[in-house]
Structure formats: C-alpha cells, structure tokens
Amino acid sequence: IMMTQSPATLSVSPGERATLSCRASQTVSSNLAWYQQKPGQAPRLLIYGASTRATGIPARFSASGSETEFTLTISSLQSEDFAVYYCQQYTNWPLLTFGGGTKVEIK
Amino acid sequence: EVQLVQSGAEMKKPGDSLRISCETSGYKFFAYWIAWVRQMPGKDLEWMGIIYPADSDTRYSPSFQGQVSISVDKSISTAYLQWSSLRASDTAMYYCVRHSITVAGTFDYWGQGTQVTVSA
C-alpha cells in the first residue's frame, strides 16, 4: 500500500492553522497513524486509529478520515510544532508503510 | 520508564559487515514486537522488518529481505540489525522501535537512532 502526503512543504505563520493530507493507494480503514519528527530527533507518535491522540499529545492536534483519505490539522501552530509529519498505515501488518512526509515550516 | 538505547554511529567501507544494537529497558522485552526503520538522508521512513523476542519470529519487508538480518538476545533485552556486506546505499539513520501492544502496527517508543555511513 502506497501512502502519499501533500503538500511536501507547508509554510504557516505561528498561530495559524495547518492542514496536512495523506492518501492511501487502497483502503486502510482507520488503521492510520501520524508521527511528528523534529530535526535531529526520532519520530513521535501523535495519532492512531486515524483520529485518536496518543498519550500527552495536545488538543490542538486533531485528525480525521477513513478508507483512503486522511487529514491532520494543527489548529494554532506553536513554535514547537514546526517539524516533519508522516502518516503510516498499519492495515497490512506487518507490511507497514509511511508517507513521504510534510514539512511544516515557519512562514 | 521505557527506553530503547541504540549503539553509536558507525563509519564503514563497502563490503564490511556490521551489527548495530538496541538495548531496551523498562518493560517486558519478550512481549513486544521490535522493528527497525531506515531513514536515508533527507528521505522518508522505511519499515525494514520486525521480530518478536519471545520466539524470534521475524518478518522482513520485501525491500530488505535477504539484505539484512534481525535478531535478539533475550538475556540482555537487546535487538540487533546486521549486514554481512555493506553498500554505499546503506548509508542512513536506523531506528529501532517498539510496536504498541494496544494498537498493533503503531510505534510507541523509538530509539535515538544509529547513523551508519558507508564510504570507500
């Protein structure tokens, strides 16, 4: 299953909303996770089950979608949110695949 | 506290062999699948394979089958990723990750990464 993320880069001002998209080449039901990776760090799990925030993830992160279309929204960007975001499908366990990532940068 | 601590950066030549490690603590090692994920410079994340420490059941991504070997040593709660003959294209950051037990297929804890550089 191929995962395609768009846009590749998103330029957003602090305090603004960011909307990231992820598309699957075939249905993954709700078996979709989102990760955040900051420079020089390992990725961190943000969302699983397409819409459930992982432990400790702030409420400004929300996600939705099912089947093949998914969205991650950051409602009001904070300085610490500028990072690369990856989606990952796990419907085809153990053949797991990630999207190519969306870099959220400061406008 | 759950921790996955990986071995340090490696500089190798093409054709060299290599084994990197991932020492875990803070949880029951044998009960959670451990995976390895590759991140080439400036590139996305690639799942390489997984192992279940309790019985060493191992699965590989077709892209990495035959290219690497994943193993564990239960006595020291450590997982390994091994190459018998490195290539320049193996230059990447490698992460060990723990599969969540509550949401199978997601990765809830990550190692800090091991940078592998292969150059003549």
Side-chain angles (χ1 to χ4, degrees):
Chain A
I1 300 174
M2 294 192 63
M3 308 301 293
T4 303
Q5 292 186 242
S6 61
T9 304
L10 189 60
S11 298
V12 185
S13 299
E16 289 189 342
R17 173 188 297 257
T19 303
L20 290 65
S21 296
C22 173
R23 173 176 292 177
S25 61
Q26 61 190 75
T27 182
V28 298
S29 186
S30 294
N31 298 317
L32 192 284
W34 290 92
Y35 297 84
Q36 176 194 65
Q37 186 178 31
K38 297 180 182 180
Q41 296 185 18
R44 173 177 72 146
L45 179 64
L46 293 178
I47 301 286
Y48 62 88
S51 62
T52 303
R53 283 189 300 275
T55 303
I57 302 304
R60 64 180 180 274
F61 290 91
S62 63
S64 63
S66 65
E67 308 293 338
T68 61
E69 299 285 341
F70 301 89
T71 300
L72 174 69
T73 301
I74 312 170
S75 60
S76 177
L77 272 158
Q78 306 297 303
S79 57
E80 62 267 29
D81 300 335
F82 293 96
V84 180
Y85 293 83
Y86 294 94
C87 61
Q88 176 233 331
Q89 68 79 20
Y90 51 96
T91 202
N92 205 22
W93 193 95
L95 298 179
L96 311 175
T97 49
F98 292 90
T102 291
K103 181 180 181 180
V104 178
E105 63 176 24
I106 299 175
K107 187 175 183 180
Chain B
E1 180 192 7
V2 174
Q3 288 191 309
L4 285 72
V5 179
Q6 298 184 227
S7 49
E10 300 277 359
M11 295 266 308
K12 292 291 187 179
K13 297 186 184 309
D16 284 352
S17 62
L18 175 65
R19 188 177 77 168
I20 62 175
S21 65
C22 172
E23 183 177 348
T24 73
S25 61
Y27 73 97
K28 294 179 179 178
F29 177 66
F30 57 86
Y32 291 76
W33 291 86
I34 290 278
W36 288 93
V37 173
R38 183 175 79 173
Q39 187 168 39
M40 299 176 75
K43 299 293 185 181
D44 52 352
L45 303 164
E46 300 173 273
W47 175 82
M48 302 175 71
I50 55 170
I51 188 165
Y52 191 61
D55 59 7
S56 293
D57 182 7
T58 309
R59 321 283 178 88
Y60 293 95
S61 163
S63 299
F64 293 92
Q65 180 80 48
Q67 308 304 310
V68 296
S69 178
I70 297 172
S71 60
V72 295
D73 184 335
K74 287 187 288 186
S75 68
I76 54 172
S77 301
T78 297
Y80 301 97
L81 178 64
Q82 186 168 340
W83 294 261
S84 59
S85 181
L86 285 161
R87 298 180 276 195
S89 57
D90 293 316
T91 295
M93 180 72 82
Y94 293 88
Y95 294 99
C96 66
V97 291
R98 191 186 83 164
H99 272 262
S100 167
I101 204 168
T102 53
V103 186
T106 62
F107 303 124
D108 58 1
Y109 285 91
W110 294 65
Q112 84 276 20
T114 296
Q115 177 66 45
V116 174
T117 303
V118 185
S119 174

